[in-house]
Amino acid sequence: MDKRPSRIISELLARPDQLALEMGAEGELLVARVRAIGCAVALLLPALVLLGGGTVREAMIGLTSAVVINVFAQVWLALARNARRYPWLPLASSIWDVTATSCVLATLAFHDPVAGTGSLVVWCFYVVSILLTALRHDGRLTLYIGALATVQYALLAALIFALAPAELLVSVDYGTASIAGQMQRVVLLLLVTLVTATIVYRMQRLVAMSGRDGLTGLPNRAWLLQSMPRIFTAARSSGASLTLALLDLDGFRRINDETGHQSGDRALRQVASQLEQMLEENEHLARIGGQEFVLLLASPIGSAWERLDRARLQLNERPFLPGRGTDPQWLSFSAGLAAWPQDGDSTSTLLRSADRRLQQAKQAGRNRVVARDA
C-alpha cells in the first residue's frame, strides 16, 4: 500500500466511501450527545469562575454563553437523530462549535483583552471541536475545521494585540499576554489537526478494509447491510425502481478441485469484472461470500431479468483459461431476483425472496435467472 504523504493527503481530501459516510452519520449522533453533555457541564463554569476569584462580569458572560450553547446543542442533537437526511449537518455543527468558541473568547476580550487570549478553558473547546471530527470519518472535514479554528484564533489574537493598549495586556488572573504564547497555541491547534487527520486516515483505511472483499475489491456483506437503508431511502424519495439479484456460480467447487484455488480466485475476479460492466449509475455489486454475489439494479424486475440474463449468456460465451496446458473452463451462474418493495421492504426479506428463487433456478437445472416464484 502506498503510504507516501501525497497519497495520504489525497485520500483524506477524497470523498469517503459509502460505508464510511454511514458510520459518519452514526458518529454525528454520538458527537451531538457528547456536545449536549459537555454543554450541560459548561453551566457549572460560571460558578467555578466566581469561586476561583473571577469577576461577576466574567461569570455572567460565561453563564450567558453556556445557556446559548446549550440551546444550540439540543438543536444539533434533534437534527442528528436523523443525520442521514441532512448531509450538511457535520459541517454545519462543526463550524458552529469552532465559531461559538471564537465568539465566547471575543466577548471575554471585549471586557478584558487578556481573558480573550488567556482563557485556557474556553480555548480548549477548539481542541475538542477538532478531535470530535474524527467520529465523522471524513478527512476533508477534519482538515477544514482544523484550519478554521487555527485561522479564527489567529485573527482574534492579532486583533487583540493590534487594538488593545499595552497596559491592558497584563492581568492578575491571566498574566501577561505575549505574541510568542499565542503562536504556541496556534502551533498546538495545527498539531491537534495533524494528529486527528492521522486518526481519521487510519479509521478510513480500517473501514475500507472492513467493507471490501479482499479478493475482488468489491463491497462485502458488511457494506451491503450498512448501505441498504440508505439505498431504500434514496429509491423511495426519487421513485426509482430497485431489484436485488442474488447470484451463485454453478459448480464452482469443480474449478477449485480441478485447477486449484489460485485459478478459482482468478475465475471469481473475472466474473466480478464482467458483472461490474453491466452496472449503470447508482447500481452496486457486492460479493457476500464464496461464489455468491448480490446485484442492486435500478430497474423494474422485468428489465433487471433481461439485463442479468444477457450477462449470463455473455459469461457462457467466454471461457475461463486457468493456465497454459489446461483445458478452458466454462463458467455459468444461477440467480434469483426480488423487487423492492413488492417482494420485501427490508434487506433480510429481499434476500430471502431472492434466495428462494435462486434455489428454484438451481433445482430447474442451473444456468438460469428466476424472477417469479414457481
Side-chain angles (χ1 to χ4, degrees):
M1 183 178 63
D2 189 350
K3 296 183 179 179
R4 292 176 299 178
S6 59
R7 177 58 182 262
I8 293 175
I9 292 173
S10 66
E11 290 192 19
L12 283 171
L13 294 176
R15 176 182 170 83
D17 65 20
Q18 193 56 50
L19 183 57
L21 290 175
E22 290 292 321
M23 296 183 67
E26 297 175 3
E28 181 63 30
L29 179 57
L30 180 58
V31 169
R33 288 171 174 166
V34 171
R35 183 192 294 112
I37 294 172
C39 290
V41 173
L43 290 169
L44 301 175
L45 293 179
L48 296 177
V49 169
L50 290 175
L51 291 174
T55 65
V56 174
R57 177 176 293 176
E58 280 185 296
M60 291 305 298
I61 292 173
L63 179 60
T64 303
S65 301
V67 170
V68 172
I69 63 175
N70 269 277
V71 171
F72 275 90
Q74 294 304 314
V75 172
W76 297 127
L77 180 58
L79 292 174
R81 296 188 191 282
N82 199 0
R84 291 180 180 86
R85 291 185 57 188
Y86 311 110
W88 46 265
L89 184 58
L91 177 61
S93 61
S94 298
I95 291 175
W96 160 257
D97 290 340
V98 170
T99 305
T101 302
S102 298
C103 289
V104 173
L105 288 175
T107 304
L108 290 172
F110 183 78
H111 296 282
D112 182 358
V114 184
T117 59
S119 180
L120 183 60
V121 172
V122 178
W123 179 85
C124 282
F125 280 95
Y126 283 127
V127 177
V128 173
S129 300
I130 297 170
L131 291 174
L132 286 177
T133 62
L135 296 176
R136 276 80 168 227
H137 296 267
D138 191 339
R140 301 168 302 173
L141 181 65
T142 296
L143 295 175
Y144 177 77
I145 293 304
L148 181 66
T150 303
V151 170
Q152 285 192 8
Y153 184 72
L155 288 175
L156 176 63
L159 286 173
I160 290 173
F161 278 91
L163 300 177
E167 60 271 17
L168 294 181
L169 295 177
V170 180
S171 168
V172 175
D173 297 323
Y174 299 104
T176 301
S178 66
I179 295 177
Q182 304 315 305
M183 291 181 63
Q184 290 175 5
R185 291 196 180 189
V186 168
V187 171
L188 281 174
L189 290 177
L190 292 175
L191 288 175
V192 170
T193 301
L194 177 62
V195 171
T196 308
T198 303
I199 294 172
V200 172
Y201 172 76
R202 182 57 179 164
M203 291 172 68
Q204 286 181 335
R205 296 299 304 169
L206 291 174
V207 169
M209 288 188 290
S210 68
R212 291 282 168 179
D213 171 48
L215 176 63
T216 62
L218 294 174
N220 60 16
R221 181 183 291 272
W223 179 94
L224 183 71
L225 296 178
Q226 284 278 348
S227 300
M228 286 303 288
R230 175 195 60 83
I231 294 172
F232 291 149
T233 300
R236 186 180 295 109
S237 61
S238 64
S241 298
L242 179 64
T243 298
L244 181 147
L246 181 61
L247 180 155
D248 185 80
L249 297 185
D250 296 325
F252 188 73
R253 182 176 297 178
R254 171 182 51 81
I255 295 178
N256 276 331
D257 292 341
E258 294 180 2
T259 64
H261 287 284
Q262 289 186 344
S263 295
D265 290 347
R266 287 178 48 229
L268 285 171
R269 285 193 288 265
Q270 176 176 314
V271 173
S273 176
Q274 186 164 334
L275 290 173
E276 278 189 300
Q277 294 175 14
M278 68 172 286
L279 297 180
E280 299 177 355
E281 187 177 2
N282 296 323
E283 295 185 338
H284 307 279
L285 171 65
R287 182 187 176 210
I288 62 172
Q291 63 270 13
E292 284 192 319
F293 297 84
V294 166
L295 283 150
L296 297 172
L297 304 176
S299 304
I301 194 167
S303 300
W305 182 90
E306 293 177 357
R307 293 173 57 193
L308 192 56
D309 198 59
R310 186 161 54 246
R312 178 186 65 82
L313 294 174
Q314 291 172 351
L315 184 65
N316 292 166
E317 296 169 356
R318 183 182 176 185
F320 168 67
L321 301 175
R324 292 181 179 179
T326 59
D327 296 330
Q329 301 286 330
W330 298 94
L331 301 174
S332 67
F333 65 76
S334 302
L337 305 184
W340 176 88
Q342 294 86 349
D343 293 316
D345 58 359
S346 68
T347 307
S348 58
T349 54
L350 280 178
L351 284 172
R352 281 198 299 268
S353 296
D355 184 61
R356 184 173 62 252
R357 291 164 185 169
L358 169 61
Q359 299 310 315
Q360 292 174 14
K362 294 282 189 181
Q363 294 167 7
R366 303 183 179 182
N367 193 22
R368 65 195 64 211
V369 180
V370 175
R372 294 282 186 265
D373 289 326

